[in-house]
Amino acid sequence: MTVRASDYPPPFAAREFVAEPTDPSDERIEVGVLVVGAGPAGLACAIRLGQLIEEHPEVAERLGDVPVALVEKGKQPGSHLLSGAVVNPRSLRRLFGDRHRIEDLPSYGRVDGEAVYVLTSRNALRIPPPPTMRNHGNYVFSLSRLGRWLAERAEEGGTMILPETTAQKLLVSHGRTVGIRTGDKGRGRDGEELANFEPGSDIVAKVTVLAEGTQGHLTGVALDHFALRGAEPQVWELGVKEVWKVPRPLKNVIHTMGWPLRTSARYREFGGSFVYPMGDGMLTIGLVLGLDYRDVEISVHDMLQELKTHPKIRGLLEGGERVAWGAKTIPSGGFNSLPARLHAPGLLMCGDGVGFVNIPTLKGVHYAIESGRLAAESAFAALQRGATPATALSSYDDAIRESFIWKDLYEVRDMRQVFGRGFFLGGALASAMTVSKGRLAPGKMRAEPDAEQPLLRTGRSNRYPSPDGTITFDKLSSVFLSGNKTRDDQPNHIRVERRVPREVADLWINMCPAQVYEVGTEGGDGTVTLQVAPSNCVQCGAITAKGGRLTPPEGGSGPEYTTT
C-alpha cells in the first residue's frame, strides 16, 4: 500500500486563527501601519515608511502616536534570521539611496571569485559556473547581523519594534483585516495560567503588512481565509547550515551539486551545498534539499555531516571549530506558486511568505527587501487624504508586476519542477530555460505538494557518519548551538497527527533537524504513536511542508541566531 504523509493531516484549521477584535476599544493598541516580522521584507517596509513619513509629516499626524509598529516573535530582530547569504545589493541601494552606501552595511565583502563543483563520494570536478550561480558583484552577509542593523535604521525612522511578540490571530471585521491579536505568555504545558501569565493584546491598524518569512503562520491563514492561493501549491526546501572558525581563510564562494544526493528521479532529491567566506577567520557551510524527497530515512542535518567528510570539504574545515548552527525552510515553487493576489482589504503580504525566491540563483533576500519597500509605498498611498484604501492597496500588485521580481521569477518559472524528472534531464531542461531566459520552457508543470509524495525506504541512513565531535555532530549538539530559548513547560505549538504508520513517523523523525519527534508505543497494526518534544524546535517550518503544521510558540522562544 502506498503511504503518503498527506493522508494524515494535522488537527488544524485556518479559521481558528481569524477573529474579530475582542479587547474593549479603549484597551486596544492602535497604530498606523502594523508590520508583522522583522526580517528583510518587514524591516525594509518599516524603513521606507519612516522615510515617507519624514517627507510628508502631515500624514504622521493622522497616524496617531505610533505611526509604524513592527512585531517580531524572536528575542530581538535577527534572532530567527538564517540564510546563505550571498545578497544582490540592488534592493538595498534602492531602499537607502544616498543615505547609506553598501560598504556601510555589516557585510563580509563583495564576491570576487567563485567555484562550482560536481561531487562524487571521493572526487570533485570543477565546472564553469552556470549563469544562475554567477555572483560577482554580490555581497556576503550574515542575515541575522544584517537584520539587527536594519532594525536600528527602522527605529531611527520612528518605528516602534515589539520583540518577543507573536502574531497569533488575524483580526478581521466586516471582511477587512484590522490588525492582529498577539499570543499569550506564561501558560503551562496544558494551557494553564502560570504566575507570570500575560494575556495577548489586540493591535489594530489602518494597514497590516505580513512579512513573516518562510512558512509564515498568518500568511498561510490569510491565503486560506481570503482565497488567495495561487494556481499551483507552494513547495519547499530545507536548508541546514553551520558557521565555522577556520585557520585558513576562504577566498571564493563555493557551490556543489551531486553527492551526497542521489540523481535518480525515483528519489526526487534536488539540492546542493554552499560554502561562503565570512571574513578572514570564518566560513559558513550549508546543504539545501527539496522537501519533495520520498525516502523516509532522509535527514538533511545528517547529509550535511556526510558532506563534510568529503576530502574537498573536510580540507576547508580541519583545524577549525563549529560555532553556530541553524535550519530554515525556503519556498521554492516559484512564479506559478505565487498567490493569486498579494493584497486583501486592509492587508498586504511580501517576502518569503508569499514565495519571492529564485531557486536557480539561490536568491530571495533582495526580493524580500524590494517587496517590503513597494508594500510600504502602497500602504502609504492608502493613508493619503481622499485615497480609496482598496484601490490604493491593489497598486501593490501592480508595482510587483512591474518590478524586477516579477520578471526574474517568470524567466525561471518551471526550473524547480523539471528536477522532478531527475538530476540529468532536469539539468538539461533548466539549462535550456536559462539560456533562453524562459522562452524555451517545457510548458507549465504542476508543483506536487511535498506531503503528497509516496514514501519509500532504502536504508539511506546507514551511510550517515557517526558524530565525532570534531567534523561531524549530532542533532542535539546542533540545537544547543542555535541558542534555543524555548521553555520546556510551554504549550505545544506543533500540530501533527499522533497515530500514524511507521513510515510517516520515521519521515518526520529523520526530517527534523532538531530532534523534535520520537517513536512512542507500537500500535500492532503498523502504526505508532508519535512523541513530540516542542522545546527542541528551531521553527524551521519543515513539518508544515511535510504533513504537520507549525503554529507560533510563546514570544521570545526558538533560536537566538547571531551569525547565521
Side-chain angles (χ1 to χ4, degrees), residues 165-210:
T165 305
T166 59
Q168 189 77 19
K169 293 185 178 183
L170 195 67
L171 298 181
V172 178
S173 184
H174 303 291
R176 181 178 181 276
T177 299
V178 295
I180 65 161
R181 182 162 184 83
T182 66
D184 296 342
K185 293 183 179 181
R187 288 192 181 274
R189 183 170 288 126
D190 297 320
E192 71 277 15
E193 297 180 8
L194 304 178
N196 61 341
F197 174 72
E198 297 177 25
S201 300
D202 289 349
I203 304 180
V204 296
K206 294 176 173 60
V207 178
T208 301
V209 181
L210 298 182

Side-chain angles (χ1 to χ4, degrees), residues 2-7 446-455 545-546:
T2 300
V3 177
R4 294 175 169 85
S6 58
D7 294 333
R446 181 173 180 267
E448 301 174 34
D450 299 322
E452 289 186 7
Q453 294 299 328
L455 302 181
K546 252 345 195 177

Side-chain angles (χ1 to χ4, degrees), residues 59-88:
V59 176
E61 295 176 10
R62 296 204 301 275
L63 296 183
D65 294 336
V66 184
V68 183
L70 185 152
V71 298
E72 163 56 32
K73 61 185 172 66
K75 204 80 172 173
Q76 63 177 324
S79 291
H80 291 180
L81 294 183
L82 181 147
S83 178
V86 170
V87 178
N88 184 320

Side-chain angles (χ1 to χ4, degrees), residues 288-436:
V288 178
L289 180 69
L291 284 170
D292 57 341
Y293 66 79
R294 293 171 173 166
D295 193 337
V296 302
E297 295 186 11
I298 287 294
S299 163
V300 181
H301 177 280
D302 294 315
M303 291 176 80
L304 175 58
Q305 308 313 308
E306 188 176 13
L307 173 74
K308 292 185 295 179
T309 67
H310 191 281
K312 182 71 182 178
I313 306 300
R314 181 186 283 270
L316 302 174
L317 304 176
E318 283 185 327
E321 175 191 4
R322 190 176 73 146
V323 295
W325 174 93
K328 205 77 169 177
T329 48
I330 307 162
S332 63
F335 184 85
N336 293 326
S337 298
L338 295 178
R341 290 198 321 276
L342 300 166
H343 77 283
L347 180 72
L348 298 172
M349 298 176 290
C350 53
D352 278 15
V354 293
F356 288 150
V357 175
N358 186 325
I359 286 297
T361 64
L362 301 173
K363 297 287 181 296
V365 174
H366 68 305
Y367 298 141
I369 292 168
E370 184 71 1
S371 65
R373 183 180 72 85
L374 295 175
E377 293 180 352
S378 293
F380 190 78
L383 298 171
Q384 300 290 340
R385 195 179 299 278
T388 304
T391 304
L393 291 184
S394 69
S395 69
Y396 174 58
D397 285 68
D398 297 334
I400 291 291
R401 288 189 173 92
E402 293 168 5
S403 73
F404 64 80
I405 301 172
W406 199 260
K407 175 179 178 291
D408 288 359
L409 295 186
Y410 180 77
E411 289 181 357
V412 298
R413 59 195 176 278
D414 288 308
M415 281 205 190
R416 175 64 181 86
Q417 288 81 352
V418 298
F419 280 94
R421 302 182 182 183
F423 177 77
F424 295 108
L425 179 56
L429 291 170
S431 296
M433 285 186 280
T434 299
V435 171
S436 68

Side-chain angles (χ1 to χ4, degrees), residues 96 104 161 251 294 424-425:
F96 289 115
D104 298 332
I161 295 179
K251 297 300 183 183
R294 293 171 173 166
F424 295 108
L425 179 56

